């Protein structure tokens, strides 16, 4: 469904000129890249194909960039909703399409900078382990790499700080939106569009950030020798293979198909194909 939604956004001029759809397309593109590269990594592990160290580093870096891209874009979508609701008359002036394109470029730069710093530290301190493990499994490398030098722990703390800043920003925006619109009457019914949209957005964002929080707790327990290596790897495997994939599966259905323009365009594409087959 992700390529279909991306095709609709790119093929319709009226859709791709709106900020919310541009941010949605960027988030879906990040998720698609992450799923493709993670599938390649999992396929190599199942086939017992040993990647060279440089190829494994590049694969892990691209995975980190794609995941950060989806994370930062989800935060930007919350900010876009916040501005659109609280400043409707100035929304077009604050976030025109040209500024949104610059924002997307900035998001990709930040998505590449954060993992880039982390990987440079790993490379310079010789803390990278795929050559020793002879595998390019993300959960295994993630568990063993975090219990290394102080420089790695500092980068890990910086990453945690960035994640919590994004979480705090999202929480503040949603809290302000709720209290500002509480008197408008859109929250009276549990099944109202505002309440359902609010619940769906929170569900997707929860599944985006919860795996990272689980990895943080697991790494802290492992570093303090509270849990063993086998338990740490099992937790990492569950987080990477289930919890990190789940929001990327839910995102196109809860976000993409929720927009009427996109769902209507997809229905038109399906109907056209059906008519051609019948004729």
């Amino acid at each position: 469904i992700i390529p279909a939604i991306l095709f609709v956004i790119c093929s319709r001029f009226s859709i791709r000129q709106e900020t919310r759809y541009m941010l949605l397309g960027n988030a879906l593109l990040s998720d698609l890249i992450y799923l493709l590269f993670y599938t390649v990594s999992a396929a190599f592990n199942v086939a017992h194909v040993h990647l060279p160290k440089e190829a494994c580093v590049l694969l892990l870096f691209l995975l980190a960039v794609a995941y950060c891209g989806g994370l930062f874009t989800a935060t930007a979508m919350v900010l876009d909703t916040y501005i659109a609701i609280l400043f409707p008359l100035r929304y077009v002036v604050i976030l025109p399409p040209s500024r949104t394109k610059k924002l997307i470029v900035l998001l990709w730069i930040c998505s590449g900078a954060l993992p880039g710093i982390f990987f440079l530290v790993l490379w310079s301190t010789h803390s990278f382990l795929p050559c020793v493990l002879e595998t390019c499994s993300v959960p295994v490398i993630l568990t063993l790499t975090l219990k290394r030098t102080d420089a790695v722990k500092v980068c890990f703390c910086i990453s945690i700080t960035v994640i919590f800043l994004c979480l705090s920003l999202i929480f503040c925006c949603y809290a302000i939106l709720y209290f500002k619109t509480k008197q408008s009457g859109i929250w009276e019914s549990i099944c109202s569009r505002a309440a359902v949209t609010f619940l769906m957005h929170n569900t997707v964002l929860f599944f985006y950030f919860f795996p990272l929080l689980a990895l943080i707790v697991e790494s802290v327990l492992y570093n303090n020798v509270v849990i063993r290596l086998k338990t740490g790897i099992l937790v990492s495997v569950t987080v990477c293979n289930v919890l990190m994939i789940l929001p990327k599966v839910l995102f196109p259905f809860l976000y993409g198909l929720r927009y009427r323009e996109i769902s209507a365009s997809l229905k038109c594409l399906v109907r056209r194909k059906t008519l051609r087959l019948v004729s």
Side-chain angles (χ1 to χ4, degrees):
I1 194 67
I2 293 179
I5 295 176
L6 288 176
F7 174 76
V8 169
I9 293 175
C10 295
S11 61
R12 303 296 174 90
F13 179 79
S14 59
I15 293 180
R16 69 171 182 265
Q17 288 299 311
E18 291 193 33
T19 299
R20 53 178 177 169
Y21 295 132
M22 294 170 69
L23 292 175
L24 173 66
N26 190 60
L28 291 175
L29 180 62
S30 302
D31 291 347
L32 183 62
I33 293 173
Y34 181 88
L35 292 173
L36 288 176
F37 283 118
Y38 196 84
T39 304
V40 170
S41 173
F44 283 152
N45 291 326
V46 171
H48 301 288
V49 176
H50 301 306
L51 292 176
K53 182 177 179 179
E54 291 74 14
C56 185
V57 171
L58 179 61
L59 183 61
L60 294 176
F61 176 74
L62 292 175
L63 281 172
V65 171
Y67 193 85
C68 290
L71 205 65
F72 293 155
T73 307
T75 307
M77 292 177 70
V78 175
L79 288 175
D80 173 66
T81 305
Y82 175 83
I83 297 173
I85 294 177
L86 295 188
F87 306 99
L89 299 179
R90 299 177 55 192
Y91 174 72
V92 179
V93 178
I94 296 174
L95 279 178
S98 58
R99 188 169 296 173
T100 305
K101 294 176 183 177
K102 296 177 183 178
L103 175 62
I104 291 175
V105 173
L106 179 62
L107 290 176
W108 279 107
I109 293 174
C110 295
S111 302
L114 188 62
I117 295 172
F118 193 77
F119 274 77
L120 285 176
V121 172
L122 292 179
W123 193 276
S124 60
T125 56
H126 304 285
S127 302
F128 205 73
L129 298 177
C131 55
V132 179
L133 297 172
E134 294 185 354
T135 182
C136 197
S137 174
V138 176
V140 176
I141 293 173
L142 192 62
T143 301
L144 296 181
T145 303
L146 291 179
K147 190 179 174 113
R148 302 296 289 179
T149 61
D150 293 334
V152 175
K153 293 178 181 179
V154 169
C155 287
F156 185 61
C157 292
I158 294 174
S159 302
I160 293 174
T161 304
V162 172
I163 292 169
F164 275 105
L165 284 175
C166 292
L167 272 174
S168 302
L169 185 61
I170 289 173
F171 176 78
C172 291
C173 288
Y174 272 132
I176 294 172
L177 285 177
Y178 175 76
F179 287 110
K180 289 285 187 180
T181 58
K182 188 177 180 180
Q183 305 299 328
S184 62
I186 62 175
W187 303 100
E188 292 180 358
S189 175
I190 301 177
C191 298
S192 64
R193 185 173 180 84
V196 173
T197 303
F198 186 76
L199 178 62
M200 291 168 61
H201 287 197
N202 284 331
T203 301
V204 174
L205 291 171
F206 171 79
F207 281 115
Y208 256 110
F209 286 95
F210 178 74
L212 299 176
L213 298 178
L215 285 177
I216 291 170
V217 174
E218 180 266 329
S219 63
V220 171
L221 294 177
Y222 178 60
N223 286 328
N224 295 325
V225 201
V226 178
I227 60 175
R228 297 181 179 179
L229 175 62
K230 185 177 180 180
T231 306
I233 292 179
L234 181 62
V235 173
S236 297
V237 168
T238 304
V239 170
C240 294
N241 292 346
V242 180
L243 297 180
M244 283 190 173
I245 302 299
L246 187 60
K248 302 182 184 308
V249 176
L250 295 175
F251 193 87
F253 295 98
L254 297 184
Y255 266 88
L257 299 181
R258 182 91 176 143
Y259 291 114
R260 294 167 180 157
E261 294 85 352
I262 293 178
S263 59
S265 300
L266 287 175
K267 289 178 182 178
C268 289
L269 291 176
V270 173
R271 288 171 183 170
R272 287 177 184 176
K273 291 182 179 180
T274 306
L275 288 175
R276 288 176 183 175
L277 288 174
V278 171
S279 61

